Amino acid sequence: MADAGVVLSRPGCIALEEIRVEPPGPGEVLVRIEATGVCHSDLHVIEENGWGHPFPVLLGHEGAGTVEAIGDGVDGLAAGDRVVLGWKAACGTCSKCREGQPRQCRKPPAAPGRLFRGEDELTPVLRTGTFATRTVVPAVAAAKVPRELPVEQACLIGCAVATGVMSVLETAKVWAGARVAVIGCGAVGLSAIQGARIAGASEIRAIDVDPRKAEQARRYGATHTEPGPVDFVFDVVGRRATFEEALRMIATNGTVVLIGLSPSGEKAEVDLPALFGRRARILVSHGGDHLPGDFPRLAQWAIDGQLDLAAMVTRTAPLADWSAAFDAMRAGDVIRTVLLP
Ligand SMILES: [Zn+2]
Ligand SMILES: [Zn+2]
């Protein structure tokens, strides 16, 4: 059967098309995608004219599936393994990797260049390209997880869960007893709330323009649904209004963590004396500084019931329904749609 993928050919032009997937080269793996979450970053790629990805672009970056073939020199993965794909692997050679800080890697390994539409090489979003029946990634970007975790939940680990949970545990290093607020209660926000619960936060404020979403965050560990002084605020939205709200909420010595991707040109106003007076810190989280090596632990937490992923999958649909999935996300109707190629 021919392979297919959702391709952004040029700004505003998206279609499910036949694609060609070449065998994996040395150090690469070919993965049959079984589930892929529809994340805001894909919408960002569409709305920001490719977001720096050369056209044509293969959409999707939150995928899980089964290894079908491995290239030469791949250790630790074999055909038949269930894997979650990661968009933030470490190169092992840049200055940060050499300093022993792979989480701050400056240059994640590039996509192998095995994906084509006709003669045109496709650029997979964030080096993964998961809105497809199959994809090829560097082996370091695929992490084996237990099959016990349903695949439509497993895929969320690749972006939303890793970003939300690791922003709390790794980027911010929230301590037990800390007061936490999360602005934006979609899949990443609910993952941050769960991360705060795992970290032992004493108070977790879920803030969302949609009161239903804030209310539903209680099941994931939120204790309040209104603003209040906190030690950590996670801005999962990245808009002027949310960032300024975050700055207003931090207590003395508090930390604001910016997670959400802002549209180009977005600006916020900072009250510098207030920032100074509170000795506040502002951190930027690129996916919670996660690495694919974190995925097995996150998967185990989901299996053990510490992370509730089942309820975050609001809807599953075939790959052909990609358009309706973006509509539902724009309308705020879903936590996550998961496409099943
Ligand atoms: Zn994402
Ligand atoms: Zn590196």
Side-chain angles (χ1 to χ4, degrees), residues 158-207:
C159 186
V161 172
T163 297
V165 174
M166 299 307 286
S167 288
V168 172
L169 301 183
E170 184 60 41
T171 309
K173 297 187 169 63
V174 168
W175 57 82
R179 297 164 298 170
V180 171
V182 175
I183 305 178
C185 298
V188 175
L190 294 176
S191 298
I193 286 166
Q194 299 199 68
R197 175 170 45 70
I198 289 169
S202 60
E203 193 178 277
I204 304 174
R205 294 179 179 274
I207 314 293

Side-chain angles (χ1 to χ4, degrees), residues 39-42 61-62 87 126 158-160 163 188 336:
C39 172
H40 274 96
S41 306
D42 290 301
H61 64 280
E62 190 180 74
W87 53 264
L126 292 171
C159 186
T163 297
V188 175
R336 241 338 173 244

Side-chain angles (χ1 to χ4, degrees), residues 82-258:
R82 162 65 49 75
V83 289
V84 172
L85 303 187
W87 53 264
K88 230 180 71 52
C91 72
T93 56
C94 74
S95 59
K96 281 293 168 190
C97 284
R98 288 200 315 270
E99 280 168 22
Q101 298 194 61
R103 292 181 184 279
Q104 272 75 52
C105 176
R106 294 186 191 283
K107 207 174 179 305
R114 309 282 171 211
L115 308 166
F116 296 86
R117 183 194 56 187
E119 291 308 306
D120 298 332
E121 184 180 328
L122 292 160
T123 311
V125 164
L126 292 171
R127 304 164 289 279
T128 46
T130 57
F131 286 6
T133 48
R134 300 191 299 169
T135 194
V136 179
V137 296
V140 288
K144 187 176 173 180
V145 299
R147 238 168 227 289
E148 210 177 326
L149 184 65
V151 72
E152 68 275 14
Q153 296 178 36
C155 70
L156 301 185
I157 290 173
C159 186
V161 172
T163 297
V165 174
M166 299 307 286
S167 288
V168 172
L169 301 183
E170 184 60 41
T171 309
K173 297 187 169 63
V174 168
W175 57 82
R179 297 164 298 170
V180 171
V182 175
I183 305 178
C185 298
V188 175
L190 294 176
S191 298
I193 286 166
Q194 299 199 68
R197 175 170 45 70
I198 289 169
S202 60
E203 193 178 277
I204 304 174
R205 294 179 179 274
I207 314 293
D208 199 287
V209 286
D210 181 345
R212 289 171 309 169
K213 282 197 166 172
E215 199 53 43
Q216 110 190 325
R218 288 185 187 275
R219 105 170 242 167
Y220 300 91
T223 55
H224 298 69
T225 57
E226 65 290 320
V230 291
D231 303 303
F232 295 91
V233 189
F234 295 86
D235 177 5
V236 182
V237 184
R239 295 294 190 276
R240 178 187 187 121
T242 54
F243 193 72
E244 291 178 356
E245 167 94 82
L247 288 171
R248 281 192 296 272
M249 280 169 69
I250 38 171
T252 303
N253 289 308
T255 302
V256 171
V257 184
L258 176 64

